Amino acid sequence: MDDVDDLLGTAEPVDPPEIFNMDLRNISRGVSITWLMQAFEMDRNTIKKRLADCPPIKMGAGQQPLFKLSQAAAYLVKPRFDTKTYIKNMNINDLPPFLRKEVWEARLKEQRWKEKAGDLWHTADVTETFAEVFKLIKNQMQLWVDNLARTEAMSDAQNKHFVGAVDQLQQDLHRELIELPKARKTSPQSADAEDDE
């Protein structure tokens, strides 16, 4: 009874029309336009217009179309959701073909804008930037070694250990700079698009 009240959009107890006495087994066999008119409180013309693209599951008595209730409801009831959120969560394959071209063109424009703004970098540019940073670090570390050798603040053993640690760090940085582009390229934006699909 509560389901009927919810379906009719009222919390007040009402006597359900005779048409609602169908059991679930009968509903699963399909519902008629007349049944939908009473269930959704709509006139016949509105129901027919909204169901124009909804395929009936079969034809009933008198060649009247019978619809799957859940499928027909999707055509009859305006969804309650935020349109912007729904569109944002859509993937390109959900769009009609004529809109897909628009999406790709918009993404290309966005890429150009991000590149000009400096927010989109090519892998080679990222690697070159890392190389410059590593070069600066290497030069600074060499200055540490040279300056400490002149101050004689450390014993020979300490100095030897420090120089070894600096050399090892330089080798590690060099290796990472060589291996980084192989192991971790910046992903193409097409990968982001594939996530949407």
Side-chain angles (χ1 to χ4, degrees):
M1 184 68 168
D2 290 335
D3 292 337
V4 173
D5 291 338
D6 291 342
L7 192 57
L8 292 173
T10 176
E12 299 174 15
V14 294
D15 292 332
E18 189 64 32
I19 202 157
F20 288 121
N21 289 333
M22 291 176 71
D23 63 19
L24 288 176
R25 189 179 61 234
N26 288 333
I27 289 175
S28 68
R29 293 181 187 155
V31 292
S32 66
I33 289 177
T34 305
W35 192 95
L36 292 168
M37 286 170 51
Q38 290 186 8
F40 290 93
E41 298 180 339
M42 295 179 180
D43 63 83
R44 183 173 296 276
N45 288 335
T46 302
I47 297 277
K48 283 185 174 182
K49 281 180 193 174
R50 292 188 182 179
L51 293 180
D53 294 328
C54 180
I57 56 173
K58 64 181 177 182
M59 299 305 275
Q63 291 301 316
Q64 75 171 353
L66 297 177
F67 300 91
K68 184 175 180 181
L69 177 59
S70 59
Q71 192 175 15
Y75 285 85
L76 297 175
V77 178
K78 182 179 177 182
R80 289 190 178 180
F81 55 76
D82 179 41
T83 308
K84 288 180 184 176
T85 303
Y86 178 75
I87 291 173
K88 183 179 178 182
N89 292 330
M90 286 178 73
N91 68 47
I92 292 176
N93 292 330
D94 292 334
L95 297 171
F98 69 90
L99 285 179
R100 292 177 191 170
K101 179 183 174 192
E102 302 298 324
V103 170
W104 288 117
E105 286 179 1
R107 285 190 173 169
L108 184 58
K109 287 178 184 175
E110 180 184 15
Q111 270 187 333
R112 288 183 191 136
W113 182 85
K114 283 184 174 181
E115 189 173 2
K116 286 181 181 178
D119 291 335
L120 181 67
W121 288 32
H122 296 279
T123 301
D125 294 336
V126 173
T127 305
E128 185 179 326
T129 302
F130 272 117
E132 290 299 318
V133 171
F134 286 171
K135 196 184 303 179
L136 174 66
I137 293 170
K138 179 182 176 184
N139 290 340
Q140 287 298 318
M141 288 190 296
Q142 286 299 324
L143 286 174
W144 296 344
V145 170
D146 294 345
N147 289 338
L148 280 173
R150 274 185 252 140
T151 61
E152 298 179 5
M154 294 192 295
S155 68
D156 288 340
Q158 290 172 324
N159 192 35
K160 185 177 179 182
H161 180 71
F162 180 70
V163 170
V166 168
D167 288 345
Q168 183 62 50
L169 180 56
Q170 287 178 353
Q171 289 173 9
D172 291 345
L173 289 173
H174 182 265
R175 186 181 62 252
E176 285 298 317
L177 183 60
I178 300 301
E179 296 298 323
L180 189 67
K182 296 175 190 172
R184 293 198 56 189
K185 288 188 176 184
T186 56
S187 62
Q189 283 199 327
S190 59
D192 296 338
E194 287 168 6
D195 289 343
D196 294 343
E197 294 175 3

